[in-house]
Amino acid sequence: MNQGILYKNFFLTRLFGIGMIRITLFFILQTLLLQSIVCQPSDPEHKGKIIGEVADNSNTVPLEFATVSIFTSDSVLVTGGLTSSDGSFIIPVNTGNYYAVIQFISYEKQTISNIVISPGNRIFDVGIVKLSPEITTLAEVTVTAEKSEMVIHLDKKIFNVGKDLSNTGKSALDILDNIPSVTVDLDGNVSLRGSENLQILVDGKPSGMVNAGNTDALRNIQGTMIERVEVITNPSARYEAEGMAGIINIVLKKNQQKGVNGSFEATVGYPQEYSFGANVNFRREKINYFLNYSIRYNERPRSGKSDQYFYLSDTSYITRIDRDRLRTGLSNRIRGGVDYLINSKNTLTATFLFGISDESNTSNIWYYDYTISEDLISSTHRLDKEKEDEIDIEFSINYSKIFTNEDHKLTALIQYIKDAETEKSEINEDLTLVSAEIPEGDLISQRSLNEESERNLLLQIDYMYPFGNKGQFETGYRSEFRNITNPYLVEEQDEMGNWNKLSEFSNNFDYIENVHALYIQAGNSFNKFSLQLGLRTEVSDVRTYLEETDEKNNRLYIDLFPTLHTTYQLNKTNAVQLSYSRRIHRPHFWWLNPFHSFSDNRNIRTGNPNLNPEYTHSIETGYLLKLEKFDFYSGLYFRYTSGVIERIAQIDDSTGITYIIPYNLSERESYGLETNLSLDVVKWWTLSGDLNLFRSISEGDFNGEKLESDDYSWNTRLNSRMRFPQNIDFQAIFFYRAPQETTQGKREAFYMLNMALSKDILKGRGTLTLNVRDVLNSRRFRYIIDQPNLYSENEHRRSERSYTLTFIYRLNQKKKFGRNGRSTQNGEGFNGDDMGF
């Protein structure tokens, strides 16, 4: 039987691993062959060339790397090229009648008609073509919200986070908590539109900074490294199908200006926080070097309390729990790379990332046990001193081949990730009985060792081909190979001083996830209407192995994921969108690992290796309105999810321990309305806000018990930005999340107010920003569990009110300004890796 499984896995690996690679190599060779045929030289007597220059209309600065596409008079694309450093271009063509389309990112394209190449006129000079900044296009409408400038594409929203004063000096996790429709809970779990089932990428790729489904490492990424955040709520077939609610892509900074330029940022704060970050770029001719570095030390005090009422078959009692925790950590991150422009059509990029962090965490838990009539029985103090070390290493190589223009290209990527994390805990627990002295043997000493190691290899290739006047065809292949090992050991010291393993909490867990994908999609525009259709297929090979108990769980499944995106431009200021996609959420490593944490030995969260993936059908429609001083976006969305994973709290009657375990329990229907708006009240005052209203209906059962909920909830943000004389800016952001029913209880309301004040100094090359987070000290996460045998009221604080002072200095940069004088904090442009798949 085992041999059969081995042969089956070997065959499938060969079929979907080596086979895919062979298909990819054939695809590349075929593409290059076709290109060589198309580019065969013709008779010299019939050759000519089109020349010209491209410049910015406002300041006549040459635009390097502008795209020049040459079409025949019947709209067939025949050739093209890119402008050089002085904005000039020379494009060889055969004799004939043509027109040229000239484009550059964030500029309006121009069409040059009536280009005639004949034996008597072999050179056609179009002169200096001046491009103006883009206002709006069919597939892209810009909504300038002062919270974060928002750009809406056909399949994603982009938030340029430097627009937010409250992001200055903060971590990546804090920045995500400031993005519309995104929330971060007590444990650092990120949610999009109320769902934690999403995919977080860095520069369009998986990253060790968000490894194994754990977002905690985002606390150690300094915000100064981040260029923008892309929120993709209904991804196209180009993107990985993982993530029910969508994809959040964090794009790191990489400038393209010539010479040496960059920015430096230093922050001090209370509770203790010290950080420094640098973003430096050096570009000369064909080579661009970029380097990001950040170092951060901070202390994060936490607190919490719980009142638990147990109603068991043989007894009832009450337990009150008080918690406090201090997390201290020093982290370093360095990311660098080089872009090498082989020629105008071939670019090679190599990047690396090295991160190291050292944390010390001290947790105190006090348990007070009472009779049901509230007479104190005993008290217990549990102290956990944990050391946590982590090393992240990433390396990637990107290759880009441009054929005729930016819309006709081939890209390839290979990426390797290696992460290692070690957690060591020393735990001491003592019990005090009210009616007696401390009994001998009730002083408990324990220790745990948790080692996690991940290796990840990603192979990817994408091809884009334009057709007609506005059509686009895309196809690609992707394979990701992940291997995670996690030995977990818990020991307890006996009376003789010997350490003995606690077998019920110890094991070695191995996790292998190999996912292979092919996709195809095509889109076109027909006057005011645009349509994009796509299909993605993914083969998932997931294997788990518990060494101690010799438990194996191998899953193999093949899925199809269709997508549809449409846009209709009503006029220059109004547009509507409609999209559909099928999504998957594979249980990540921590949800499958049955051994998680031993810090709180009365409330233990574990994983479940028998979990199946969730599947979602997602439909979304939106309306866009852009006026001179008012921008508005509103969208309706619907998601139907099967195999919903719910965390269930279960009590062991013999020990009184509560185990919180995930199960595939139910089906869920989610409806929602999302709205974003921005209003220039006066020249110096901008108001913006977002509102997310949703209803979630869940139905399922667990061990014969029916679990269901029908919940209405909402959350909102209001952002006020004021610009005063002397280059002084003030910003206030208020966030509110309404109560929400769950299948086992209720999550209480939550609100928070942040404020920031900044002033430009050193003739605009420097900025000082004072930031106060959680001004009202109200950031408390409260929830209720209400079950037949357990009722509990819980409150936790992830952090207390904090103050930070940040100084930013720009080297060979100046603060950039947007509409109505709105400034961009770090002076960075629209750059960074952006490989979608």
Side-chain angles (χ1 to χ4, degrees), residues 475-519:
T475 186
Y477 154 77
R478 181 184 191 275
S479 276
E480 183 178 4
F481 307 87
R482 298 179 64 197
N483 189 350
I484 303 175
T485 59
N486 184 209
Y488 189 71
L489 174 66
V490 179
E491 296 178 312
E492 186 169 297
Q493 192 175 40
D494 61 22
E495 296 177 358
M496 303 300 294
N498 300 315
W499 290 97
N500 304 307
K501 182 171 72 173
L502 299 181
S503 298
E504 64 271 31
F505 298 108
S506 304
N507 211 320
N508 289 340
F509 184 66
D510 292 336
Y511 175 82
I512 295 175
E513 179 185 277
N514 300 326
V515 180
H516 312 283
L518 285 170
Y519 79 88

Side-chain angles (χ1 to χ4, degrees), residues 157-205:
K157 300 180 183 72
I158 298 174
F159 299 91
N160 296 306
V161 298
K163 302 289 285 185
D164 229 331
L165 296 182
S166 61
N167 288 331
T168 307
K170 297 303 179 181
S171 71
L173 206 60
D174 295 327
I175 288 176
L176 289 184
D177 204 17
N178 247 4
I179 297 294
S181 301
V182 177
T183 56
V184 180
D185 70 8
L186 170 73
D187 298 315
N189 298 311
V190 180
S191 299
L192 177 60
R193 290 177 172 172
S195 173
E196 294 180 14
N197 298 334
L198 63 134
Q199 177 85 328
I200 298 179
L201 306 174
V202 177
D203 284 337
K205 306 178 288 289

Side-chain angles (χ1 to χ4, degrees), residues 679-713:
L679 172 65
D680 293 329
V681 181
V682 290
K683 186 176 181 180
W684 53 268
W685 184 20
T686 300
L687 284 174
S688 63
D690 64 89
L691 174 67
N692 184 30
L693 302 167
F694 58 91
R695 179 187 183 189
S696 180
I697 305 172
S698 298
E699 294 183 357
D701 65 87
F702 178 70
N703 290 339
E705 177 187 350
K706 192 171 184 180
L707 297 176
E708 58 184 7
S709 66
D710 187 354
D711 169 48
Y712 295 84
S713 191

Side-chain angles (χ1 to χ4, degrees), residues 776-802:
L776 305 177
N777 212 23
S778 58
R779 196 177 195 187
R780 294 178 173 87
F781 295 85
R782 298 173 297 148
Y783 63 94
I784 294 172
I785 297 176
D786 189 0
Q787 294 296 295
N789 58 355
L790 171 65
Y791 177 84
S792 69
E793 296 180 354
N794 308 272
E795 179 179 302
H796 299 279
R797 293 178 61 92
R798 194 176 81 190
S799 61
E800 60 185 40
R801 183 191 298 119
S802 64

Side-chain angles (χ1 to χ4, degrees), residues 140-153 156-161 163 179-181 229 231 623-626 631-634 674-678 689-690 822 830:
E140 174 180 338
V141 178
T142 301
V143 181
T144 308
E146 197 52 28
K147 178 175 193 318
S148 297
E149 182 176 304
M150 183 171 71
V151 182
I152 298 178
H153 288 263
K156 63 184 173 184
K157 300 180 183 72
I158 298 174
F159 299 91
N160 296 306
V161 298
K163 302 289 285 185
I179 297 294
S181 301
V229 176
V231 178
Y623 167 73
L624 305 171
L625 171 65
K626 181 177 174 59
D631 301 321
F632 176 80
Y633 169 79
S634 184
E674 181 184 41
T675 298
N676 302 97
L677 58 88
S678 175
D690 64 89
R822 299 173 181 176
F830 187 83

Side-chain angles (χ1 to χ4, degrees), residues 555 557 559 584-587 611-615 642-643 645 664:
R555 307 291 177 94
Y557 38 93
D559 296 294
I584 187 174
H585 175 61
R586 301 177 187 89
L611 288 177
N612 292 313
E614 301 176 333
Y615 292 94
S642 59
I645 298 174
N664 293 100

